[in-house]
């Protein structure tokens, strides 16, 4: 290596130029692509919500969303109402699905009142209440949408993750796991208990829907516990709203 | 291989076996263990590394005469990270589904020491074309091990390959499960990845005793 | 309490080497002798203890969405998290280089024993892994971030110390020739990782359960029973698996 590249001045200059180039390059890509990326995220959210209430193009084994170009139309067709619950007050807001659950969770930690979005959908004469949930798995964030009826019986669920172990924790977004939740009760004897992910309920085919348990994924204990924990802590916040539904 | 001289061809074929990055050079182990519970994830990772290694080696090789040696490690890391982040952003914008599959690996690609190792050992001292070949060769050697490990772990652990139930259905008891076969869930856990790699090393060194280490 | 829990969790349950398989390359390459393993391990503890808190500050005040709000309310919408990899790596590489210079100047003896390992550490993925986990697990305070850094470092130190000791002993054993060196190290590490999995049982309940105590006693007792039963069965399952 030539002598020129050893001097301190050169090193500092090189570092400065490099930082400027890299910074500019990244900032350019980030800002140029941001609208497209946000649009993709918006579409995905709509797809997820629709998936949870059973509007999807599933084949026999795999989970397939409504296609991208149809999703906007389907979303406005099936989702009849979007509401935001904040401290017992319910307001209608047709942009409620854009609420960032992560931000709301941080706001709650800081002592602010959290906004809880809930989407109300109609399909084949039945009403679905779809709530977003978010929590932590083994490595990173996990999140999803749960569709329920007025009695808090699960009618559909969609889970996703940022970086769970491939082949183990990542299976939470597989049909065999998500479909297990359909029909499962969130309440027991009128009280909210959530759904546990169990390894030892002697019910691997999940025939018993009222035991508040679904079968776990082997090798993914911590991810499974994360799913159970987010269902419990997030959906509990909606219980008071569901209670008002029943008296109506 | 009419395009390549004999010396150049060796750059591709060597890492494939006798100088394999994982089993001989001990590079890139972390990712080989973390993602091989599934064959599909192994293949995706192998392809991503192939891309990053090829391009990264060329970039570093082009810059080799202007990088100050004092901060070369920072420079190398930044080159990899920038490459990976740009690819990630582009995928997020134009191939969203694919980017979600890849998303979990981004950290692992940046910290993959095979990339750093080849920058340091080869690209800093060699020309662009040779560096490119070296990058591709090592990435292939790395990918082959990944795919072998992924194949055995998914087959023995979940009884599937790329998600297809090749051994029958474990719950309905069809295929080999009807004969009393059970999946070995242990294969899916990360410690088994270490042991599988250990066995690959064993097989490889039995076939080529020249690689055996001194006591 | 929180600190102690996180500390032990990061040493044993989330052990960098055995649970997350980070820092494997230097772990395998520099574990032939106990003395060098100790040197590298100490350097890793030190660097993790410094970089995790520094990166925590960067994440909190620069990178996170809305983190720039301290500059003024008009900055509240900036989200620089796409820069986190680059900034974390730059911090680590800079810190390592800084530490190298400072140690060389003020503690030459320490430098002589540690020095050669410092450049190795910049490329040790356990270090970047520490910072990324700190970010994704949303560690709440600077203090906790420091605890997490030190804990993870000690976990890594323990792992490399153990494997180096085993490798020194194994030299006297009759290992099949093709397995000698690297091969047997892989397999031993796999077995050690299986052993470390048993620490997973240390994780019980957590905050969620603690809050429930305010609920009716009867519910709690029933739940505890169910939990204890579940744990017992889990344990039985695990031992069965290991025996097999």
């Amino acid at each position: 290596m030539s002598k020129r590249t050893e001097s301190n001045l050169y090193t500092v200059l090189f570092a400065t130029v490099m930082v400027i180039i890299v910074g500019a390059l990244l900032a350019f890509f980030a800002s140029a692509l941001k609208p497209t990326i946000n649009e993709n995220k918006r579409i995905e959210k709509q797809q997820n919500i629709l998936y949870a209430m059973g509007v999807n193009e599933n084949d026999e084994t795999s989970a397939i969303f409504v296609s991208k170009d149809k999703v906007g139309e389907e979303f406005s067709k099936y989702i009849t109402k979007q509401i935001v619950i904040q401290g017992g007050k319910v307001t209608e807001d047709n942009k409620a699905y854009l609420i960032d659950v992560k931000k709301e969770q941080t706001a709650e930690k800081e002592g602010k009142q959290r906004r809880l979005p809930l989407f109300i959908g109609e399909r084949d004469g039945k009403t679905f209440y779809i709530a977003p949930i978010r929590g932590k798995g083994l490595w990173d964030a996990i999140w999803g949408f749960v569709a329920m009826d007025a009695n808090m019986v699960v009618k559909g669920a969609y889970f996703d993750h940022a970086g769970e172990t491939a082949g183990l924790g990542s299976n939470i977004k597989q049909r065999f796991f998500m479909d297990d939740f359909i029909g499962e009760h969130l309440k027991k004897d009128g009280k909210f208990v959530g759904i546990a992910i169990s390894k030892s309920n002697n019910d691997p085919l999940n025939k018993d829907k009222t035991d508040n348990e679904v079968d776990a994924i082997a090798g993914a204990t911590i991810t499974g516990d994360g799913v159970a924990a987010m269902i419990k802590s997030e959906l509990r916040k909606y219980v008071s709203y569901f209670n008002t539904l029943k008296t109506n | 291989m009419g395009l390549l001289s004999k010396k150049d061809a060796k750059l591709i074929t060597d890492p494939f076996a006798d100088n394999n990055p994982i089993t001989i050079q001990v590079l890139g182990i972390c990712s080989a263990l973390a993602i091989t519970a599934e064959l599909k994830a192994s293949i995706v990772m192998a392809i991503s590394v192939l891309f990053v290694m090829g391009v990264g080696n060329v970039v570093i090789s082009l810059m080799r005469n202007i990088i100050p040696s004092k901060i070369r490690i920072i420079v190398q890391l930044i080159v990899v990270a920038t490459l990976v982040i740009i690819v990630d952003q582009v995928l997020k914008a134009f191939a969203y589904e694919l980017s979600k599959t890849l998303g979990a690996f981004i950290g692992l690609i940046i910290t993959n020491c095979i990339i750093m190792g080849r920058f340091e050992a080869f690209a800093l001292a060699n020309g662009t074309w040779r560096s490119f070949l070296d990058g591709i060769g090592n990435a292939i050697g790395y990918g082959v091990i990944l795919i072998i490990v992924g194949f055995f772990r998914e087959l023995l652990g979940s009884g599937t390959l790329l998600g297809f139930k090749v051994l029958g259905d474990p719950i309905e008891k069809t295929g080999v499960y009807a004969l009393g076969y059970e999946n070995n869930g242990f294969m899916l856990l990360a410690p088994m990845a270490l042991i599988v790699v250990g066995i690959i090393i064993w097989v490889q060194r039995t076939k080529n005793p020249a690689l055996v280490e001194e006591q | 309490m929180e600190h102690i829990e996180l500390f032990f969790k990061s040493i044993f349950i989330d052990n960098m080497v055995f649970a997350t398989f980070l820092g494997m390359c230097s772990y395998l390459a520099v574990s032939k002798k106990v003395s060098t393993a100790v040197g590298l391990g100490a350097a890793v503890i030190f660097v993790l203890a410094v970089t995790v808190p520094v990166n925590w500050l960067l994440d909190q005040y620069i990178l996170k969405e809305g983190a720039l709000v301290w500059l003024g309310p008009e900055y509240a919408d900036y989200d620089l998290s796409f820069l986190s990899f680059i900034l974390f790596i730059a911090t680590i590489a800079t810190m390592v280089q800084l530490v190298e210079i400072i140690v060389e100047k003020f503690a030459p003896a320490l430098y002589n024993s540690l020095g050669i390992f410092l450049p190795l550490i910049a490329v040790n993925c356990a270090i970047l892994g520490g910072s990324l986990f700190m970010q994704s697990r949303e560690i709440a305070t600077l203090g906790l971030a420091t605890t997490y850094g030190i804990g993870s470092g000690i976990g890594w130190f323990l792992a490399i110390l153990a494997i180096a000791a085993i490798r020194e002993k194994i030299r006297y054993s009759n290992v099949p020739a093709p397995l000698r060196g690297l091969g047997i190290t892989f397999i031993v590490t796999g077995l050690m990782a299986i052993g470390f999995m048993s620490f997973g049982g240390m994780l019980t309940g957590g905050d969620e359960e603690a809050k429930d105590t305010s609920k009716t006693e009867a519910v709690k007792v029933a739940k505890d029973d169910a939990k204890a039963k579940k744990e017992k069965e889990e344990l039985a399952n695990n031992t069965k698996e290991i025996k097999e």
Side-chain angles (χ1 to χ4, degrees):
Chain A
M1 221 168 267
S2 62
K3 195 110 199 212
R4 177 175 60 95
T5 57
E6 293 302 312
S7 80
N8 283 338
L9 182 68
Y10 180 82
T11 307
V12 172
L13 269 178
F14 185 89
T16 322
V17 171
M18 173 117 190
V19 165
I20 292 169
I21 292 177
V22 167
L25 205 61
L26 285 179
F28 168 75
F29 271 98
S31 52
L33 297 176
K34 197 156 193 184
T36 333
I37 293 175
N38 283 346
E39 177 67 10
N40 282 336
K41 285 190 176 152
R42 194 181 63 81
I43 289 172
E44 189 195 12
K45 260 193 170 167
Q46 292 191 338
Q47 284 174 325
N48 290 352
I49 293 169
L50 287 176
Y51 183 93
M53 67 175 281
V55 183
N56 50 44
E57 287 164 18
N58 282 351
D59 61 13
E60 232 163 81
T61 48
S62 43
I64 302 167
F65 291 136
V66 192
S67 72
K68 248 185 185 179
D69 34 312
K70 272 203 314 209
V71 66
E73 196 185 308
E74 301 267 295
F75 191 75
S76 38
K77 182 172 142 204
Y78 286 106
I79 302 294
T80 49
K81 212 162 128 190
Q82 299 184 43
I83 56 172
V84 179
I85 308 163
Q86 190 170 24
K89 228 176 70 198
V90 180
T91 43
E92 210 167 313
D93 177 0
N94 64 359
K95 288 263 184 291
Y97 75 99
L98 293 176
I99 288 177
D100 186 342
V101 181
K102 187 181 172 190
K103 264 194 210 160
E104 296 301 319
Q105 284 175 337
T106 332
E108 192 183 29
K109 263 188 229 154
E110 289 162 359
K112 288 180 202 141
Q113 193 122 69
R114 180 168 162 189
R115 292 185 298 166
L116 297 165
L118 186 70
F119 320 109
I120 300 168
E122 298 270 354
R123 185 171 64 91
D124 306 333
K126 281 185 218 134
T127 311
F128 294 82
Y129 299 86
I130 305 140
I133 51 177
R134 189 183 167 89
K136 260 182 271 179
L138 171 60
W139 303 106
D140 209 329
I142 50 178
W143 62 90
F145 293 89
V146 179
M148 297 159 277
D149 68 5
N151 293 318
M152 292 195 95
V153 174
V154 176
K155 291 292 166 197
Y158 179 77
F159 302 114
D160 208 342
H161 62 98
E164 297 306 300
T165 324
L168 301 173
S170 70
N171 282 343
I172 58 168
K173 59 183 293 190
Q174 295 295 324
R175 281 280 297 283
F176 73 82
F177 184 70
M178 297 192 297
D179 288 357
D180 259 6
F181 283 83
I182 297 173
E184 202 65 50
H185 290 236
L186 280 160
K187 284 180 168 179
K188 189 161 201 152
D189 305 329
K191 263 197 184 132
F192 180 82
V193 289
I195 295 174
I197 313 289
S198 170
K199 278 187 196 167
S200 49
N201 59 354
N202 294 324
D203 185 20
L205 296 177
N206 200 35
K207 298 241 164 60
D208 183 1
K209 296 289 187 188
T210 54
D211 61 354
N212 305 97
E213 279 181 347
V214 296
D215 197 39
I217 302 169
T221 313
I222 296 179
T223 310
D225 288 348
V227 172
M230 75 175 172
I231 288 176
K232 200 169 163 185
S233 64
E234 298 285 291
L235 294 183
R236 168 172 288 157
K237 301 183 197 305
Y238 289 92
V239 172
S240 54
Y241 176 78
F242 278 93
N243 286 343
T244 63
L245 284 180
K246 275 174 97 180
T247 49
N248 278 349
Chain B
M1 291 223 185
L3 257 175
L4 308 169
S5 70
K6 218 174 170 191
K7 227 169 100 196
D8 285 350
K10 252 182 104 56
L11 287 174
I12 295 227
T13 52
D14 253 10
F16 192 72
D18 289 351
N19 196 18
N20 188 283
I22 292 184
T23 60
I24 310 293
Q25 301 176 41
V26 210
L27 291 172
I29 312 287
C30 317
S31 48
L33 302 170
I35 51 129
T36 46
E38 225 176 22
L39 186 56
K40 186 178 152 211
S42 315
I43 294 174
V44 172
M45 184 73 177
I47 294 172
S48 339
V49 168
L50 184 74
F51 173 80
V52 176
M53 287 275 286
V55 181
N57 257 9
V58 169
V59 174
I60 291 289
S61 165
L62 284 174
M63 290 168 69
R64 70 184 186 280
N65 288 326
I66 57 164
I67 297 177
S69 64
K70 276 180 210 160
I71 56 166
R72 65 174 198 288
I73 289 178
I74 308 183
V75 173
Q76 291 165 2
L77 282 168
I78 287 178
V79 167
V80 194
T82 314
L83 267 177
V84 175
I85 292 172
I86 290 176
V87 171
D88 176 49
Q89 298 264 334
V90 171
L91 282 180
K92 262 194 191 142
F94 302 113
Y96 194 69
E97 281 307 304
L98 186 65
S99 86
K100 287 195 69 186
T101 331
L102 266 176
F105 301 144
I106 288 173
L108 280 169
I109 297 175
I110 296 182
T111 52
N112 197 329
C113 40
I114 192 177
I115 296 175
M116 289 292 303
R118 292 325 292 174
F119 281 4
E120 187 80 6
F122 201 90
L124 269 180
N126 285 283
T128 316
W129 174 240
R130 284 171 57 80
S131 299
F132 177 71
L133 291 180
D134 179 75
I136 299 287
N138 275 286
I140 293 174
Y142 164 85
V144 166
I145 301 286
L146 236 63
I147 289 166
I148 296 176
V149 178
F151 175 84
F152 282 109
R153 285 181 73 194
E154 187 175 343
L155 183 68
L156 300 177
S158 342
T160 59
L161 280 178
L162 292 172
F164 294 108
K165 291 177 177 152
V166 289
L167 295 181
D169 194 307
I171 295 171
E172 318 238 302
K173 300 277 175 218
T174 58
V176 290
Y177 297 98
L179 306 169
Y181 175 82
E182 289 280 347
N183 282 331
N184 182 358
F186 217 49
M187 286 302 286
L188 292 175
L189 302 179
M192 278 314 287
L194 278 163
I195 295 175
V196 173
V197 176
I199 293 169
I200 292 175
I201 293 178
W202 193 353
V203 172
Q204 191 189 11
R205 292 188 185 181
T206 311
K207 279 175 73 182
N208 185 355
L211 298 172
V212 171
E213 286 174 48
E214 290 293 313
Q215 186 67 299
Chain C
M1 192 55 218
E2 221 179 336
H3 281 269
I4 299 173
E5 191 186 317
L6 184 68
F7 184 68
F8 283 105
K9 200 175 155 221
S10 52
I11 296 182
F12 294 109
I13 303 168
D14 295 336
N15 186 290
M16 278 282 179
V17 174
F18 296 128
T20 64
F21 300 95
L22 290 177
M24 264 292 165
C25 308
S26 31
Y27 165 89
L28 291 166
V30 196
S31 60
K32 284 197 181 103
K33 276 186 23 221
V34 170
S35 53
T36 47
V38 169
L40 185 64
V44 167
I45 297 182
F46 186 78
V47 174
L48 266 174
V50 176
T51 55
V52 174
V54 170
N55 281 337
W56 185 86
L57 288 173
L58 284 176
D59 187 42
Q60 260 340 271
Y61 294 107
I62 295 180
L63 296 172
K64 254 194 188 171
E65 189 168 8
L68 286 172
V69 77
W70 55 272
L71 279 175
E74 67 271 27
Y75 291 97
D77 283 336
Y78 281 75
D79 179 6
L80 297 179
S81 46
F82 66 91
L83 284 176
S84 45
F85 279 117
I86 291 250
L87 220 52
F88 285 178
I89 283 181
T91 317
I92 288 164
T94 321
M95 276 297 151
V96 169
Q97 220 116 60
L98 258 182
V99 166
E100 197 180 348
I101 295 167
I102 293 171
V103 172
E104 189 180 8
K105 183 120 191 169
F106 296 105
L110 184 65
Y111 180 76
N112 284 338
S113 53
L114 266 186
I116 47 160
F117 298 119
L118 285 169
L120 264 183
I121 288 174
V123 291
N124 185 332
C125 38
I127 309 285
L128 182 63
S131 289
L132 292 175
F133 280 145
M134 173 273 298
Q135 189 189 32
S136 70
R137 290 182 190 168
E138 290 162 20
I139 284 180
T141 66
L142 184 61
L144 282 173
T146 318
T147 311
Y148 179 71
I150 297 175
S152 310
I154 295 179
W156 202 88
F157 177 86
L158 268 184
I160 195 168
L161 187 63
I163 193 72
I166 292 175
R167 284 181 82 170
E168 278 197 3
K169 286 281 175 207
I170 230 167
R171 228 172 293 155
Y172 303 108
S173 317
N174 190 13
V175 179
L179 267 181
R180 256 180 237 155
L182 198 57
I184 196 73
T185 313
F186 266 99
I187 291 175
V188 169
T189 309
L191 296 176
M192 284 162 79
I194 294 170
F196 262 71
M197 278 165 62
S198 56
F199 286 115
M202 275 165 66
L203 264 185
T204 44
D207 304 352
E208 197 52 42
E209 302 294 325
K211 271 181 216 144
D212 282 350
T213 46
S214 55
K215 295 262 155 59
T216 46
E217 206 55 21
V219 176
K220 190 184 155 251
V221 171
K223 210 151 108 206
D224 281 355
D225 273 352
K227 217 173 97 190
K229 201 177 136 213
K230 218 173 107 188
E231 265 169 18
K232 223 162 125 191
E233 271 161 354
E234 215 173 290
L235 200 73
N237 275 344
N238 284 346
T239 33
K240 211 174 85 195
E241 260 172 10
I242 287 168
K243 268 184 202 147
E244 279 166 9

